[in-house]
Amino acid sequence: QKTMEELGFNKLIPDKSQARRRAKIVNFSFLFGRGWKGFGEAENFDPETSKSYYNGFHRSYPEIRLCANKCRRDICSRGYVTSLLERRRRFPHCIGLDPSPDNRDSAAWWDGYKAWNSTIQMAESDLVRLTMRNFYREIVDRRKTDKRWLEVHPLIQVHDELVAEAPDEIVQEVAERMKWHAENALKLDVPILMEVGTAKNWEDAKH
């Protein structure tokens, strides 16, 4: 919401759903290293508008560049980055390269953003994997004393969404337990918040 307001989306695009869609495009573009020129060409914006979005984003979130630069230094010094749970993505070809963020001709420039992207994606993966594991362990334990939980089944993971089925009489309890596991799988400085929905099918649950 902060980005939408600061970058002027709410004024430029009165329709909130369109403003949110555009804000997501800006967030993911600049979060993973796209410059204002490439963004403008891809989204059909004039240079001044693209620059204003780019500068506004990095003014609001200066840590993005700092984190990307740290990942760049890591892959140039040791050849990999790690996830929250110490899983690695390797960049052995970057060892010994110049990690300076001003050296955009170096292979380490874009690989630095790839490495930063990887740390984000791996963190989400760590969180989802732990949530699924811990939630399933609770299901197994609950089945020992409550036969209704025999009908509780995790079905599918789609990116950061988890889908499970449960009997109507305990569906709300199951949803709250899944929410608890997601929000407590990892202890972070910034709290994790999960939205849950219940319905007869996945599409309705999302709304």
Side-chain angles (χ1 to χ4, degrees), residues 20-198:
R20 185 172 296 279
R21 186 187 70 83
R22 184 64 68 184
K24 287 179 69 174
I25 292 173
V26 169
N27 276 329
F28 285 107
S29 292
F30 298 149
L31 178 63
F32 296 134
R34 174 173 272 180
W36 65 264
K37 185 176 181 181
F39 171 76
E41 291 174 350
E43 301 301 324
N44 197 29
F45 279 135
D46 63 84
E48 290 304 314
T49 300
S50 297
K51 284 182 182 178
S52 70
Y53 286 172
Y54 180 86
N55 292 332
F57 178 87
H58 287 292
R59 184 170 58 249
S60 297
Y61 305 105
E63 299 87 356
I64 298 300
R65 282 176 173 155
L66 295 177
C67 290
N69 289 340
K70 179 185 181 305
C71 288
R72 190 173 290 114
R73 291 194 299 273
D74 285 345
I75 63 175
C76 289
S77 62
R78 61 187 187 181
Y80 63 86
V81 288
T82 60
S83 75
L84 293 172
L85 299 183
E86 300 301 321
R87 291 187 296 122
R88 297 181 181 182
R89 181 177 177 185
R90 301 181 182 277
F91 295 81
H93 57 283
C94 290
I95 295 177
L97 296 180
D98 180 5
S100 170
D102 298 322
N103 186 19
R104 299 196 179 195
D105 291 332
S106 169
W109 168 255
W110 283 113
D111 281 335
Y113 276 108
K114 290 178 184 177
W116 168 230
N117 185 341
S118 296
T119 62
I120 297 173
Q121 301 295 340
M122 287 192 297
E124 180 181 25
S125 175
D126 288 345
L127 174 63
V128 172
R129 286 155 63 99
L130 279 177
T131 300
M132 291 191 295
R133 185 200 67 180
N134 295 341
F135 179 55
Y136 184 71
R137 286 179 175 177
E138 178 170 356
I139 292 174
V140 172
D141 189 57
R142 292 282 195 121
R143 287 173 176 172
K144 297 175 184 178
T145 56
D146 189 339
K147 290 184 178 180
R148 297 175 300 177
W149 281 75
L150 291 170
E151 301 303 319
V152 176
H153 302 287
L155 295 181
I156 191 173
Q157 172 204 349
V158 182
H159 303 299
D160 59 352
E161 296 186 355
L162 298 176
V163 183
E165 64 178 7
D168 289 344
E169 59 187 305
I170 60 170
V171 68
Q172 196 60 49
E173 179 185 5
V174 171
E176 289 302 318
R177 293 307 300 160
M178 181 183 286
K179 175 180 173 68
W180 186 90
H181 282 296
E183 295 180 347
N184 291 275
L186 293 170
K187 300 299 182 184
L188 305 174
D189 292 336
V190 178
I192 299 295
L193 300 178
M194 179 183 185
E195 295 181 355
V196 294
T198 60

